[in-house]
Amino acid sequence: MKTNIRKLGKDGLIYGLGIAISRAASFVMLPIYTTYLTPADYGAAELLTTTIDVIAMIVGLGITGAIFKCYADAGTDDEKKEVISTSLVILLVLTLIASLIGIVFSGPISGLIFGDRTFSKYFQLMFVTFFIQQGITSIPLMYIRAIGRPHLFVMIGVVKLLVHIALNLYFLVVLKLGLEGVLLSSLIGEAVIGVFLLSYSLRHIGFRFSRIIADELFKLGHPFILTSLSSFVLVYSDRYFLKAFNDLDTIGIYALAYKFGFMLSALVVVPFQSAWEPQRFSIAKQEDGKTIFTRVFLYFNVVIVSVSLMIILSVGDILKIIASKPYWPASVLVPLMLINAVLQSWTIFCDYGLYHARKTGSIASSSVIAAVLVLALNIVLIPIWGVYGAVLATFCAFLVRFWLRYIWAQRYFTIDYGWRKIFGLIMVAAVAYFVRFSMDIHNIAVALVFDSIVFVAYILTAYYAILDRFERDTIRSFLKEKLTATRKVGSDYIL
């Protein structure tokens, strides 16, 4: 069991590094964005991205949600490659058609979302980026995860980061293109990565299509369309309500808070999924599979709660250092965003039983129920409480979705998730939060030192009061192994 958990931890760290690096440009560039973009520009970028995302969910037909299951079920290496190649062909065709239609009708789309057609040129850039990102790069990246090539994944992330930073600096600082410069940077960066990934895929899996596999992908994937759309409504519909009842500046501040809130996803949840999803089906078949699920869920929560607390403690001071004053109110929203992000991560982990029993329709049903709820709450709460109403609406809907999936999944694959320890961990973090913010510290340097002391106290309390000896030994041996490997790399480099 320790071997499985260590492998997950090792792969998760490497994937985490790759994903964090690939997404780091948006954080590294925050001082530039908040200097050369107004909150309204930032809000406009959020609405542009959100609109393209919902189109991507419809166009993809849920195929990406079914790939790992079909890949795991394939018997031979050739069959596995055929799954990837068939998926690539389908998405290339679908995204090309959707992108061409989007470019032609960019004017009406701009009018619908923003109330005028001045944003149509931005939508055109976004649709080209969408084709590259969804049609060309998404499937090859999934293939790299499936075959267990995390180091290649990291290399791609590094290249993407460097290209994005260089292009953003050129278009924003030198040419002062504003929002258009941000979109051009994204397009060119995706194109560079896309050329490499497409050639890599064609070289390793070929270009072939299986009607039988395509039918299976559509059969397993079509419920994910409804699931993805419902997830979109859950997470992003509030932007449109905020636009209706507030303005683009409000959306810009809200989007910045979400960026810090979803830092948890970029640093922990998505990397963990990258390592966990391809392996969980085989782990579930092992004799001690359910025990591994329990242990992994605990370690997963140790990380997400700790990272959440770290972000909460530091975000206010970080924004004062890197962002201009109009963006500072975003820090107040971040803790609320992180609570929602934790609920989202629990939902992703605890719905395994539905995949195990091939009950993807239940996943869609829970998402639809939650989406209807969040729309109703957005209509009621946002006109009254603005951004706080949006966060509260999302929390209620996330909680309902999690509870439904958890109850339904347990019917098909019962797992003891060890909730007593999980909530104990959360209580320790909550105490640390209240201790820190009961102190009114204005000096940033002093605040950062005090934040560090509070965080270390939380770590020691959680380590000795929540975890048992086996769990502490597992964490200690894992960290020791990583430290030894790091030292070895460092000594080899020096020599």
Side-chain angles (χ1 to χ4, degrees), residues 69 73 216 219-220 352-361:
K69 178 61 177 172
D73 289 344
E216 183 67 11
K219 179 182 176 181
L220 287 176
Y352 171 75
L354 298 175
Y355 289 92
H356 181 80
R358 291 177 174 259
K359 299 294 183 180
T360 52

Side-chain angles (χ1 to χ4, degrees), residues 352-408:
Y352 171 75
L354 298 175
Y355 289 92
H356 181 80
R358 291 177 174 259
K359 299 294 183 180
T360 52
S362 296
I363 295 175
S365 298
S366 66
S367 295
V368 170
I369 292 170
V372 172
L373 176 61
V374 82
L375 285 175
L377 292 174
N378 280 336
I379 292 171
V380 174
L381 298 178
I382 289 179
I384 302 172
W385 292 321
V387 291
Y388 295 100
V391 175
L392 179 58
T394 303
F395 170 78
C396 293
F398 273 23
L399 183 61
V400 168
R401 183 182 61 170
F402 163 71
W403 184 249
L404 289 174
R405 289 198 195 177
Y406 178 80
I407 294 298
W408 293 342

Side-chain angles (χ1 to χ4, degrees), residues 42 252-262 329-334 337:
Y42 210 88
I253 293 171
Y254 189 71
L256 180 60
Y258 245 99
K259 188 175 294 294
F260 279 93
F262 276 90
S331 64
V332 181
L333 298 171
V334 172
M337 304 289 193

Side-chain angles (χ1 to χ4, degrees), residues 254-270:
Y254 189 71
L256 180 60
Y258 245 99
K259 188 175 294 294
F260 279 93
F262 276 90
M263 188 185 294
L264 177 67
S265 177
L267 293 177
V268 182
V269 180
V270 174

Side-chain angles (χ1 to χ4, degrees), residues 183-311:
L183 301 181
L184 281 171
S185 300
S186 179
L187 190 160
I188 298 172
E190 292 295 338
V192 170
I193 299 300
V195 169
F196 168 76
L197 285 174
L198 186 60
S199 62
Y200 179 87
S201 297
L202 293 177
R203 189 166 64 252
H204 286 83
I205 65 174
F207 198 76
R208 42 190 166 172
F209 181 83
S210 167
R211 178 64 182 273
I212 295 175
I213 292 175
D215 289 342
E216 183 67 11
L217 286 168
F218 288 129
K219 179 182 176 181
L220 287 176
H222 78 269
F224 288 106
I225 303 174
L226 197 55
T227 303
S228 297
L229 287 174
S230 299
S231 297
F232 166 81
V233 171
L234 275 170
V235 178
Y236 295 109
S237 64
D238 50 16
R239 275 65 162 183
Y240 297 100
F241 287 96
L242 288 170
K243 172 68 167 63
F245 294 106
N246 291 273
D247 51 32
L248 286 176
D249 291 280
T250 301
I251 297 174
I253 293 171
Y254 189 71
L256 180 60
Y258 245 99
K259 188 175 294 294
F260 279 93
F262 276 90
M263 188 185 294
L264 177 67
S265 177
L267 293 177
V268 182
V269 180
V270 174
F272 171 78
Q273 282 181 272
S274 299
W276 175 246
E277 285 187 353
Q279 299 182 51
R280 61 179 179 167
F281 294 101
S282 58
I283 289 175
K285 297 175 183 177
Q286 298 177 18
E287 186 176 345
D288 60 347
K290 292 187 177 182
T291 303
I292 294 175
F293 268 74
T294 304
R295 297 286 189 186
V296 169
F297 187 60
L298 174 61
Y299 300 137
F300 177 53
N301 274 275
V302 168
V303 178
I304 62 174
V305 173
S306 301
V307 172
S308 296
L309 180 62
M310 187 186 303
I311 294 170

Side-chain angles (χ1 to χ4, degrees), residues 7-270:
K7 186 178 188 310
L8 281 171
K10 177 183 176 182
D11 289 352
L13 280 176
I14 299 174
Y15 282 121
L17 177 62
I19 292 170
I21 289 172
S22 66
R23 298 186 179 185
S26 60
F27 291 101
V28 172
M29 292 299 299
L30 273 181
I32 303 298
Y33 289 160
T34 55
T35 299
Y36 291 89
L37 297 178
T38 65
D41 290 332
Y42 210 88
E46 180 74 2
L47 280 179
L48 286 164
T49 304
T50 299
T51 304
I52 295 297
D53 284 345
V54 70
I55 293 172
M57 293 173 190
I58 298 172
V59 172
L61 297 177
I63 289 173
T64 54
I67 286 177
F68 282 131
K69 178 61 177 172
C70 290
Y71 189 89
D73 289 344
T76 66
D77 286 342
D78 282 343
E79 290 174 350
K80 291 179 184 294
K81 290 179 180 180
E82 200 165 28
V83 169
I84 299 298
S85 179
T86 299
S87 303
L88 179 60
V89 171
I90 293 171
L91 282 187
L92 276 171
V93 173
L94 292 177
T95 54
L96 177 60
I97 294 172
S99 298
L100 292 174
I101 294 174
I103 290 171
V104 171
F105 292 97
S106 59
I109 294 173
S110 175
L112 177 65
I113 303 301
F114 291 97
D116 61 66
R117 298 192 173 209
T118 57
F119 289 86
S120 61
K121 65 177 182 179
Y122 301 135
F123 273 113
Q124 292 170 1
L125 292 174
M126 291 291 289
F127 275 112
V128 177
T129 305
F130 157 73
F131 168 67
I132 299 170
Q133 193 173 60
Q134 298 296 319
I136 295 177
T137 67
S138 63
I139 300 301
L141 284 173
M142 294 183 77
Y143 174 63
I144 290 171
R145 289 166 53 191
I147 61 177
R149 295 288 306 278
H151 293 91
L152 176 60
F153 196 84
V154 171
M155 184 199 74
I156 293 170
V158 170
V159 173
K160 186 175 180 179
L161 172 65
L162 295 176
V163 171
H164 272 262
I165 290 176
L167 291 172
N168 270 297
L169 288 172
Y170 178 68
F171 288 127
L172 282 175
V173 178
V174 179
L175 298 184
K176 294 181 171 55
L177 292 181
L179 178 58
E180 184 178 1
V182 175
L183 301 181
L184 281 171
S185 300
S186 179
L187 190 160
I188 298 172
E190 292 295 338
V192 170
I193 299 300
V195 169
F196 168 76
L197 285 174
L198 186 60
S199 62
Y200 179 87
S201 297
L202 293 177
R203 189 166 64 252
H204 286 83
I205 65 174
F207 198 76
R208 42 190 166 172
F209 181 83
S210 167
R211 178 64 182 273
I212 295 175
I213 292 175
D215 289 342
E216 183 67 11
L217 286 168
F218 288 129
K219 179 182 176 181
L220 287 176
H222 78 269
F224 288 106
I225 303 174
L226 197 55
T227 303
S228 297
L229 287 174
S230 299
S231 297
F232 166 81
V233 171
L234 275 170
V235 178
Y236 295 109
S237 64
D238 50 16
R239 275 65 162 183
Y240 297 100
F241 287 96
L242 288 170
K243 172 68 167 63
F245 294 106
N246 291 273
D247 51 32
L248 286 176
D249 291 280
T250 301
I251 297 174
I253 293 171
Y254 189 71
L256 180 60
Y258 245 99
K259 188 175 294 294
F260 279 93
F262 276 90
M263 188 185 294
L264 177 67
S265 177
L267 293 177
V268 182
V269 180
V270 174

